[in-house]
Short mmCIF file of all heavy atoms in Angstrom, two decimals:
data_model
loop_
_atom_site.label_atom_id
_atom_site.label_comp_id
_atom_site.label_asym_id
_atom_site.label_seq_id
_atom_site.Cartn_x
_atom_site.Cartn_y
_atom_site.Cartn_z
N LYS A 229 -5.70 -42.69 -6.69
CA LYS A 229 -4.28 -43.10 -6.73
C LYS A 229 -3.39 -41.96 -6.24
O LYS A 229 -2.40 -42.20 -5.55
CB LYS A 229 -3.89 -43.50 -8.16
CG LYS A 229 -4.57 -44.76 -8.65
CD LYS A 229 -3.65 -45.56 -9.56
CE LYS A 229 -4.21 -46.93 -9.88
NZ LYS A 229 -5.24 -46.93 -10.94
N ILE A 230 -3.74 -40.74 -6.64
CA ILE A 230 -2.89 -39.60 -6.21
C ILE A 230 -2.96 -39.43 -4.70
O ILE A 230 -1.98 -39.21 -4.02
CB ILE A 230 -3.29 -38.31 -6.97
CG1 ILE A 230 -3.02 -38.48 -8.48
CG2 ILE A 230 -2.52 -37.11 -6.45
CD1 ILE A 230 -3.39 -37.32 -9.35
N LYS A 231 -4.20 -39.56 -4.16
CA LYS A 231 -4.35 -39.41 -2.71
C LYS A 231 -3.58 -40.49 -1.96
O LYS A 231 -2.96 -40.23 -0.93
CB LYS A 231 -5.85 -39.45 -2.33
CG LYS A 231 -6.58 -38.18 -2.70
CD LYS A 231 -7.95 -38.08 -2.07
CE LYS A 231 -8.96 -38.99 -2.68
NZ LYS A 231 -10.31 -38.83 -2.17
N GLU A 232 -3.63 -41.72 -2.50
CA GLU A 232 -2.89 -42.84 -1.85
C GLU A 232 -1.39 -42.50 -1.80
O GLU A 232 -0.73 -42.75 -0.80
CB GLU A 232 -3.10 -44.14 -2.62
CG GLU A 232 -4.41 -44.80 -2.25
CD GLU A 232 -4.81 -45.91 -3.22
OE1 GLU A 232 -4.01 -46.26 -4.13
OE2 GLU A 232 -5.94 -46.40 -3.10
N SER A 233 -0.90 -41.96 -2.93
CA SER A 233 0.52 -41.62 -2.97
C SER A 233 0.86 -40.55 -1.93
O SER A 233 1.88 -40.63 -1.25
CB SER A 233 0.89 -41.15 -4.38
OG SER A 233 2.00 -40.30 -4.34
N ILE A 234 -0.02 -39.55 -1.80
CA ILE A 234 0.25 -38.46 -0.83
C ILE A 234 0.32 -39.02 0.58
O ILE A 234 1.23 -38.74 1.35
CB ILE A 234 -0.85 -37.36 -0.93
CG1 ILE A 234 -0.75 -36.65 -2.29
CG2 ILE A 234 -0.75 -36.38 0.20
CD1 ILE A 234 -1.86 -35.67 -2.58
N VAL A 235 -0.66 -39.88 0.90
CA VAL A 235 -0.71 -40.46 2.26
C VAL A 235 0.57 -41.26 2.52
O VAL A 235 1.18 -41.15 3.59
CB VAL A 235 -1.95 -41.35 2.43
CG1 VAL A 235 -1.89 -42.14 3.73
CG2 VAL A 235 -3.22 -40.50 2.39
N LYS A 236 0.99 -42.02 1.49
CA LYS A 236 2.19 -42.86 1.67
C LYS A 236 3.42 -42.00 1.97
O LYS A 236 4.20 -42.31 2.88
CB LYS A 236 2.39 -43.65 0.37
CG LYS A 236 3.16 -44.91 0.55
CD LYS A 236 3.02 -45.78 -0.66
CE LYS A 236 4.24 -46.68 -0.76
NZ LYS A 236 4.40 -47.25 -2.09
N VAL A 237 3.59 -40.92 1.22
CA VAL A 237 4.78 -40.05 1.43
C VAL A 237 4.72 -39.43 2.83
O VAL A 237 5.69 -39.44 3.58
CB VAL A 237 4.87 -38.97 0.34
CG1 VAL A 237 6.01 -37.99 0.66
CG2 VAL A 237 5.06 -39.58 -1.04
N VAL A 238 3.55 -38.91 3.18
CA VAL A 238 3.42 -38.21 4.48
C VAL A 238 3.70 -39.17 5.63
O VAL A 238 4.36 -38.81 6.61
CB VAL A 238 1.99 -37.62 4.60
CG1 VAL A 238 1.67 -37.26 6.04
CG2 VAL A 238 1.86 -36.37 3.71
N LEU A 239 3.25 -40.42 5.49
CA LEU A 239 3.39 -41.37 6.62
C LEU A 239 4.83 -41.92 6.74
O LEU A 239 5.08 -42.72 7.64
CB LEU A 239 2.38 -42.51 6.49
CG LEU A 239 0.91 -42.09 6.71
CD1 LEU A 239 -0.03 -43.27 6.67
CD2 LEU A 239 0.74 -41.29 8.01
N HIS A 240 5.73 -41.45 5.89
CA HIS A 240 7.15 -41.73 6.17
C HIS A 240 7.60 -41.09 7.47
O HIS A 240 8.57 -41.50 8.06
CB HIS A 240 8.04 -41.20 5.03
CG HIS A 240 8.12 -42.13 3.86
ND1 HIS A 240 7.83 -41.74 2.58
CD2 HIS A 240 8.43 -43.42 3.80
CE1 HIS A 240 7.96 -42.78 1.78
NE2 HIS A 240 8.32 -43.82 2.51
N GLY A 241 6.86 -40.08 7.88
CA GLY A 241 7.17 -39.44 9.17
C GLY A 241 6.58 -40.28 10.28
O GLY A 241 5.35 -40.45 10.32
N PRO A 242 7.40 -40.79 11.20
CA PRO A 242 6.87 -41.66 12.27
C PRO A 242 5.85 -40.97 13.17
O PRO A 242 5.00 -41.62 13.75
CB PRO A 242 8.12 -42.07 13.06
CG PRO A 242 9.21 -41.15 12.63
CD PRO A 242 8.88 -40.62 11.27
N ASP A 243 5.92 -39.62 13.26
CA ASP A 243 4.96 -38.90 14.11
C ASP A 243 3.82 -38.29 13.33
O ASP A 243 3.06 -37.47 13.86
CB ASP A 243 5.70 -37.80 14.88
CG ASP A 243 6.80 -38.36 15.74
OD1 ASP A 243 6.50 -39.27 16.52
OD2 ASP A 243 7.96 -37.90 15.61
N ALA A 244 3.68 -38.66 12.03
CA ALA A 244 2.64 -38.04 11.20
C ALA A 244 1.35 -38.87 11.27
O ALA A 244 1.36 -40.09 11.30
CB ALA A 244 3.12 -37.96 9.75
N ARG A 245 0.22 -38.12 11.33
CA ARG A 245 -1.10 -38.76 11.31
C ARG A 245 -1.98 -37.91 10.39
O ARG A 245 -2.07 -36.69 10.57
CB ARG A 245 -1.67 -38.79 12.72
CG ARG A 245 -3.01 -39.43 12.86
CD ARG A 245 -3.33 -39.68 14.34
NE ARG A 245 -3.30 -38.47 15.15
CZ ARG A 245 -4.32 -37.63 15.27
NH1 ARG A 245 -5.46 -37.84 14.62
NH2 ARG A 245 -4.24 -36.55 16.04
N VAL A 246 -2.58 -38.59 9.40
CA VAL A 246 -3.35 -37.82 8.41
C VAL A 246 -4.73 -37.46 8.97
O VAL A 246 -5.44 -38.34 9.47
CB VAL A 246 -3.50 -38.65 7.10
CG1 VAL A 246 -4.46 -37.94 6.14
CG2 VAL A 246 -2.14 -38.84 6.45
N ASP A 247 -5.06 -36.17 8.92
CA ASP A 247 -6.45 -35.77 9.26
C ASP A 247 -7.28 -35.94 7.99
O ASP A 247 -8.27 -36.67 7.98
CB ASP A 247 -6.42 -34.31 9.76
CG ASP A 247 -7.82 -33.81 10.09
OD1 ASP A 247 -8.77 -34.60 10.02
OD2 ASP A 247 -7.99 -32.61 10.40
N TYR A 248 -6.88 -35.28 6.90
CA TYR A 248 -7.51 -35.57 5.61
C TYR A 248 -6.55 -35.28 4.47
O TYR A 248 -5.63 -34.46 4.60
CB TYR A 248 -8.81 -34.76 5.43
CG TYR A 248 -8.60 -33.25 5.28
CD1 TYR A 248 -8.14 -32.69 4.10
CD2 TYR A 248 -8.89 -32.39 6.35
CE1 TYR A 248 -7.95 -31.32 3.99
CE2 TYR A 248 -8.70 -31.03 6.24
CZ TYR A 248 -8.23 -30.51 5.07
OH TYR A 248 -8.01 -29.16 4.94
N VAL A 249 -6.76 -36.00 3.37
CA VAL A 249 -6.13 -35.67 2.07
C VAL A 249 -7.30 -35.70 1.11
O VAL A 249 -7.95 -36.74 0.95
CB VAL A 249 -5.06 -36.69 1.66
CG1 VAL A 249 -4.58 -36.41 0.26
CG2 VAL A 249 -3.90 -36.68 2.63
N GLU A 250 -7.58 -34.59 0.44
CA GLU A 250 -8.73 -34.54 -0.48
C GLU A 250 -8.32 -33.85 -1.79
O GLU A 250 -7.48 -32.97 -1.79
CB GLU A 250 -9.89 -33.75 0.13
CG GLU A 250 -10.52 -34.38 1.36
CD GLU A 250 -11.24 -35.70 1.09
OE1 GLU A 250 -11.47 -36.04 -0.08
OE2 GLU A 250 -11.55 -36.40 2.09
N ILE A 251 -8.96 -34.28 -2.86
CA ILE A 251 -8.82 -33.58 -4.13
C ILE A 251 -10.23 -33.11 -4.51
O ILE A 251 -11.14 -33.94 -4.65
CB ILE A 251 -8.17 -34.44 -5.21
CG1 ILE A 251 -6.81 -34.95 -4.71
CG2 ILE A 251 -8.03 -33.65 -6.53
CD1 ILE A 251 -6.00 -35.77 -5.70
N VAL A 252 -10.40 -31.79 -4.60
CA VAL A 252 -11.75 -31.24 -4.75
C VAL A 252 -11.77 -30.25 -5.93
O VAL A 252 -10.73 -29.74 -6.33
CB VAL A 252 -12.19 -30.51 -3.47
CG1 VAL A 252 -12.33 -31.48 -2.31
CG2 VAL A 252 -11.23 -29.37 -3.08
N ASP A 253 -12.97 -30.00 -6.42
CA ASP A 253 -13.16 -28.97 -7.43
C ASP A 253 -12.72 -27.63 -6.81
O ASP A 253 -13.13 -27.29 -5.70
CB ASP A 253 -14.64 -28.93 -7.81
CG ASP A 253 -14.95 -27.89 -8.86
OD1 ASP A 253 -14.85 -26.68 -8.56
OD2 ASP A 253 -15.29 -28.29 -9.99
N ASP A 254 -11.88 -26.89 -7.54
CA ASP A 254 -11.31 -25.67 -6.97
C ASP A 254 -12.37 -24.63 -6.60
O ASP A 254 -12.16 -23.79 -5.75
CB ASP A 254 -10.31 -25.08 -7.97
CG ASP A 254 -9.60 -23.87 -7.42
OD1 ASP A 254 -9.01 -23.99 -6.32
OD2 ASP A 254 -9.67 -22.80 -8.03
#
Side-chain angles (χ1 to χ4, degrees):
K229 293 214 170 80
I230 296 179
K231 286 193 286 185
E232 278 166 7
S233 154
I234 292 173
V235 170
K236 204 166 154 198
V237 174
V238 163
L239 291 184
H240 278 126
D243 300 308
R245 182 167 58 84
V246 172
D247 178 5
Y248 67 77
V249 173
E250 295 293 348
I251 303 183
V252 295
D253 181 290
D254 184 54

